[in-house]
Amino acid sequence: MAQNYSKKAYEILQDQIINGSLRAGAPLDVHRIAAEMEMSITPVRDAIKKLEADGLVEVLPRSGTFVRHYTIEDLIKGYELVEGLDGMAGYLLAEKVKAGVVAGADIDALLTSLVDEMDRNLSREQVRTWAELDDRFHRAIFEMAENPLLANGYNSARNQMRSVLSFISPVHVDRANSVREHRLIVAAIIAGDCEKARKTCQDHRHLVREILKTLHGECQT
């Protein structure tokens, strides 16, 4: 039962951090959170420890526990990691198609349906829905690649950076072009072209990293 409460507290706090309800730098008072969630402080403490391990929360000595603030430099480094992980996941999934382990038609049906839905949610007002679909698309590739180490690394980095799209996408990301890139990723994977799948996945992430580098440069001038 205690584990269920810890999981519930973790999921609620994680969602609040990712969707921006709890902003960077916001203090996390265990007693207040426990009262709001109508549970004891132990599962809340457990949840906060897990969030700290995820990199979403930081404990400052003699100051307290806070939602972690990520600088643009942090996000750039995160996308350097994601770029490499995405490329390997795309490669592995294409390799499975090439070997006949996974049917390209099944992958096409799953991923293309997500891309089509992204295409129907391109407006600025729909950016949160678009970003969620983008997340589901990439998570599906990692799941089908069947490498838990890759998937865990991606999930950890992605949880830390999910707010990036909601921050830069409305103004800086060409979502229509991103949809076209997603279709190229699908085409490379279902063709069993491992190297092209790797390159297409990495190029897709590279564009976001370049946007972040540009923003970083603008902040320094």
Side-chain angles (χ1 to χ4, degrees):
M1 182 65 71
Q3 189 175 17
N4 289 338
Y5 279 118
S6 296
K7 184 174 184 291
K8 179 183 177 182
Y10 170 79
E11 290 174 347
I12 291 173
L13 290 172
Q14 182 194 54
D15 183 64
Q16 289 177 344
I17 292 170
I18 289 171
N19 68 29
S21 298
L22 284 172
R23 296 184 178 277
L28 298 175
D29 183 283
V30 173
H31 292 87
R32 179 184 59 79
I33 294 170
E36 290 175 351
M37 294 186 182
E38 299 182 338
M39 61 178 68
S40 68
I41 62 173
T42 299
V44 175
R45 280 180 174 156
D46 291 342
I48 288 176
K49 285 180 182 178
K50 190 170 189 308
L51 290 166
E52 184 185 6
D54 289 344
L56 293 174
V57 163
E58 58 184 345
V59 178
L60 302 180
R62 297 182 298 279
S63 295
T65 303
F66 303 87
V67 176
R68 183 175 173 181
H69 172 72
Y70 279 91
T71 65
I72 293 182
E73 293 101 316
D74 292 329
L75 297 174
I76 290 170
K77 290 175 182 177
Y79 261 84
E80 289 172 353
L81 173 63
V82 169
E83 191 174 313
L85 294 174
D86 250 313
M88 193 68 235
Y91 181 98
L92 290 175
L93 187 52
E95 191 174 55
K96 288 180 177 293
V97 173
K98 185 177 180 180
V101 176
V102 180
D106 292 341
I107 295 172
D108 189 17
L110 172 61
L111 296 182
T112 298
S113 66
L114 291 171
V115 179
D116 288 343
E117 192 64 23
M118 291 172 71
D119 209 7
R120 290 190 285 270
N121 288 273
L122 290 176
S123 73
R124 185 166 179 167
E125 293 73 22
Q126 297 165 313
V127 67
R128 186 178 294 277
T129 299
W130 186 91
E132 287 300 321
L133 290 164
D134 174 74
D135 185 41
R136 287 170 57 191
F137 176 92
H138 290 285
R139 285 183 188 273
I141 291 175
F142 276 94
E143 288 171 6
M144 290 186 288
E146 295 184 323
N147 183 321
L149 292 176
L150 277 181
N152 289 340
Y154 172 76
N155 288 335
S156 177
R158 183 65 173 171
N159 282 341
Q160 295 172 25
M161 298 184 299
R162 282 178 68 180
S163 61
V164 177
L165 278 178
S166 62
F167 166 62
I168 66 172
S169 186
V171 179
H172 300 284
V173 171
D174 184 341
R175 291 186 293 283
N177 182 65
S178 181
V179 166
R180 288 190 288 272
E181 291 174 355
H182 281 77
R183 296 194 190 281
L184 292 175
I185 290 171
V186 176
I189 290 173
I190 66 174
D193 191 332
C194 303
E195 287 299 338
K196 188 172 182 179
R198 185 209 302 271
K199 185 176 186 306
T200 307
C201 287
Q202 288 188 221
D203 287 349
H204 174 65
R205 295 298 192 182
H206 181 75
L207 285 176
V208 177
R209 186 160 63 86
E210 288 300 308
I211 291 172
L212 290 169
K213 287 167 67 177
T214 299
L215 290 174
H216 180 47
E218 291 173 354
C219 289
Q220 292 184 317
T221 57

